[in-house]
Amino acid sequence: MRVYVPATLSGLARVHEAREIGPAPLTAYAVTPALREWYAGGDQEELEYAAMTAAARASLRLLADDPGAPRRRVVLAAEVPEQSVERPRGDAAVGDEGSRARVLVTAPIAWRRIASGHVDAEDAAADVGAAAAALDAAAAGDEDARFTVDGAEGHELLWYATQELGDLLP
């Protein structure tokens, strides 16, 4: 099963050194039945994009919690056994696509299972940093802050093969 794990460049450095994403349980995003039901008109590629976008939004929270991390969102796409993926308990499918796509991976993810990395270009750093700083205000209902958070999504994440990820490390 393909999962999308939110990270930061600082977190990617730790993953690169450890050669695994961990420790478990890991919050990730995937094409779940709830996401399929909510986005009924979407094909598999659109559903995976929605799950990856939810992971990118979760990366913003990681950036907000780590002011020293470079201001670029990171999402790691990985193939994991379906039996190591479960829906979080009490996570109703009534929120946005992020909550509908959220899963827990119950085991560390070995480096060899990472299919690709998706990272903001350097020129997105100012918008991504502003979005990370505005997260709490956006969650409290501030419309200007929501606009700022949404602005980060105007930047497409760039695709990197796993052998290229080491070149991105701070």
Side-chain angles (χ1 to χ4, degrees):
M1 174 178 210
R2 172 70 52 108
V3 297
Y4 299 92
V5 182
T8 64
L9 285 174
S10 301
L12 175 60
R14 289 187 296 275
V15 168
H16 190 264
E17 183 178 333
R19 307 308 279 176
E20 73 176 14
I21 307 170
L26 300 161
T27 298
Y29 297 82
V31 176
T32 63
L35 183 62
R36 282 186 192 283
E37 182 179 332
W38 178 75
Y39 197 2
D43 63 20
Q44 186 65 23
E45 188 174 320
E46 291 170 317
L47 290 165
E48 288 179 0
Y49 185 79
M52 186 173 73
T53 299
R57 176 94 33 137
S59 177
L60 282 177
R61 173 51 61 196
L62 296 175
L63 288 169
D65 293 343
D66 183 3
R71 307 284 90 182
R72 294 166 68 191
R73 298 168 298 165
V74 176
V75 175
L76 299 172
E79 295 292 333
V80 299
E82 188 134 0
Q83 64 268 22
S84 69
V85 178
E86 59 185 48
R87 289 285 293 161
R89 299 197 192 289
D91 194 12
V94 295
D96 63 13
E97 72 274 12
S99 65
R100 289 180 174 93
R102 189 176 306 115
V103 296
L104 290 176
V105 180
T106 60
I109 300 171
W111 181 265
R112 65 182 166 72
R113 293 198 172 273
I114 300 172
S116 59
H118 306 267
V119 182
D120 278 309
E122 288 181 26
D123 66 358
D127 289 340
V128 169
L135 274 179
D136 290 335
D142 182 316
E143 289 300 320
D144 290 334
R146 283 185 185 165
F147 182 78
T148 300
V149 171
D150 290 344
E153 291 179 9
H155 295 278
E156 291 291 325
L157 297 177
L158 304 176
W159 181 91
Y160 292 90
T162 53
Q163 63 269 28
E164 298 173 306
L165 293 175
D167 298 335
L168 299 171
L169 300 180

